[in-house]
């Protein structure tokens, strides 16, 4: 299958593109965001990496008429999970939060929760491809991100917000001037997952309280999440508030513990060695 066939994209205006892997038909299919700046372009999350994302972006002319005048395209993972980090190795410049640098550098597919089945891939990317052979390739990040770091694109800036809970290195990227929030898996319009091996409910509650604060202080108008569709500030407030209320109940705590135990056993069986 060609790269052009594997991906599809939609322009959302103002140099923002929404890219998806067409044949990865699963709730785990992550949104890939491309944001153009006057001096730096950035890809936020990279999907599975089964076909070349940089080649697709170049072939479709998504970087504009004169990309050579800019710095090399920067790929940032909102966190290290496989559905977001699988394509990072295809880029010269790679950014991730410091808490998950080792997972990427060591190809730790346990922490990257690599869990893919043949039925999720509607059409194989190459003859004989099987999901059981899939692993995220190790990559050494060039940009180690911390809370408060500012990624300068020239005419717009993205501020790194460390929002652990779903994973220990989860981040949001906040375009304060345009009130956009690239939220990764910190929040999306679906069931928020807090039962993976490096998930922490207490940290997730704190992150959601911070999201509520962003809405209350009118710093967010639109959320561009790691999965599913975009949504606005009111929905963000409702999702974050609902998680806080639910996560503090005893049944939720027991369920999270049970799911984390099961997920850990299954992921360790699928990824018995940390390095791929």
């Amino acid at each position: 299958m060609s790269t052009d066939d594997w991906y599809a994209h939609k322009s959302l205006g103002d140099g923002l593109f929404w890219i998806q892997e067409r044949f990865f038909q699963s709730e785990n299919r992550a949104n890939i965001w491309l944001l153009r700046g006057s001096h730096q372009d950035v890809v936020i999350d990279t999907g599975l990496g089964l076909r070349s994302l940089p080649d697709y972006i170049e072939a479709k002319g998504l970087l504009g008429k004169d990309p050579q005048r800019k710095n090399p395209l920067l790929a940032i993972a909102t966190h290290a999970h496989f559905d977001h980090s699988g394509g990072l190795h295809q880029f010269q410049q790679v950014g991730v939060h410091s808490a998950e640098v080792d997972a990427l550098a060591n190809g730790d597919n346990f922490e990257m929760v690599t869990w893919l089945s043949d039925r999720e891939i509607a059409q194989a990317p190459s003859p004989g491809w099987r999901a059981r052979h899939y692993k995220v390739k190790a990559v050494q990040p060039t940009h180690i991100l911390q809370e408060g770091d500012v990624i300068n694109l020239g005419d717009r800036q993205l501020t790194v917000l460390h929002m652990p809970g779903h994973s220990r290195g989860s981040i949001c990227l906040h375009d304060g001037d345009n009130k956009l929030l690239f939220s990764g898996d910190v929040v999306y319009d679906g069931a928020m997952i807090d039962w993976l091996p490096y998930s922490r409910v207490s940290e997730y509650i704190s992150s959601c309280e911070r999201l509520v604060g962003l809405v209350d202080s009118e710093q967010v108008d639109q959320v561009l999440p790691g999965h599913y569709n975009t949504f606005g500030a009111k929905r963000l407030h409702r999702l974050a508030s609902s998680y806080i209320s639910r996560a503090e109940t005893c049944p939720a705590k027991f369920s999270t513990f049970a799911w984390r135990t099961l997920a850990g056993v299954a992921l360790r069986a699928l990824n018995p060695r940390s390095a791929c």
Side-chain angles (χ1 to χ4, degrees):
M1 180 186 300
S2 71
T3 296
D4 283 5
D5 289 334
W6 182 257
Y7 296 102
H9 74 274
K10 178 181 180 180
S11 173
L12 302 183
D14 198 25
L16 176 62
F17 297 87
W18 186 2
I19 304 173
Q20 288 193 318
E21 298 172 287
R22 295 175 57 227
F23 296 99
F24 182 22
Q25 296 182 2
S26 165
E27 291 187 352
N28 287 329
R29 181 175 67 181
N31 295 323
I32 300 167
W33 305 103
L34 171 65
L35 183 61
R36 283 169 38 179
S38 57
H39 299 302
Q40 176 75 66
D41 302 321
V42 63
V43 171
I44 302 169
D45 291 329
T46 60
L48 297 176
L50 294 177
R51 281 289 174 264
S52 175
L53 181 56
D55 285 355
Y56 178 83
I57 290 170
E58 181 178 1
K60 297 300 180 181
L62 302 188
L63 298 184
K65 296 180 180 179
D66 190 18
Q68 289 78 18
R69 66 184 172 83
K70 302 182 183 180
N71 294 326
L73 183 60
L74 171 62
I76 295 176
T78 59
H79 60 300
H81 290 170
F82 78 103
D83 46 331
H84 298 259
S85 66
L88 287 176
H89 69 279
Q90 301 169 348
F91 293 84
Q92 297 177 37
Q93 294 197 100
V94 171
V96 69
H97 188 268
S98 60
E100 293 178 346
V101 167
D102 288 346
L104 290 178
N106 296 328
D108 186 346
N109 277 259
F110 176 75
E111 181 161 353
M112 291 187 278
V113 298
T114 302
W115 190 324
L116 189 63
S117 66
D118 287 333
R119 66 177 178 273
E120 294 175 287
I121 305 298
Q123 188 171 331
S126 58
W129 183 91
R130 292 293 182 270
R132 66 179 178 270
H133 301 307
Y134 173 79
K135 298 293 179 186
V136 177
K137 295 182 180 179
V139 60
Q140 182 63 54
T142 57
H143 292 61
I144 299 174
L145 305 177
Q146 302 281 5
E147 165 70 28
D149 285 352
V150 176
I151 300 163
N152 185 7
L153 307 187
D155 54 349
R156 63 201 309 167
Q157 286 75 42
L158 299 175
T159 301
V160 176
L161 308 178
H162 184 211
M163 298 278 202
H166 175 71
S167 78
R168 57 183 172 180
S170 284
I171 62 171
C172 295
L173 296 172
H174 185 217
D175 179 347
D177 290 339
N178 296 289
K179 297 187 177 183
L180 301 178
L181 186 72
F182 296 90
S183 67
D185 284 3
V186 176
V187 61
Y188 47 80
D189 203 347
M192 291 155 67
I193 294 175
D194 59 7
W195 41 262
L196 294 169
Y198 290 92
S199 301
R200 295 293 181 271
V201 172
S202 60
E203 293 180 337
Y204 218 151
I205 291 172
S206 296
S207 292
C208 284
E209 290 173 343
R210 194 173 180 191
L211 291 173
V212 169
L214 289 174
V215 176
D216 288 344
S217 57
E218 299 183 350
Q219 295 184 63
V220 175
D221 283 341
Q222 186 177 25
V223 180
L224 300 107
H227 298 273
Y228 312 125
N229 293 321
T230 62
F231 51 90
K234 289 184 179 179
R235 185 61 178 161
L236 172 59
H237 195 286
R238 189 176 302 117
L239 289 167
S241 299
S242 296
Y243 177 82
I244 295 168
S245 298
R246 181 191 66 81
E248 292 177 334
T249 66
C250 288
K253 291 178 181 178
F254 176 79
S255 176
T256 297
F257 173 79
W259 276 109
R260 180 181 293 121
T261 301
L262 291 171
V265 171
L267 285 166
R268 187 60 74 189
L270 289 168
N271 303 287
R273 292 176 295 177
S274 63
C276 62

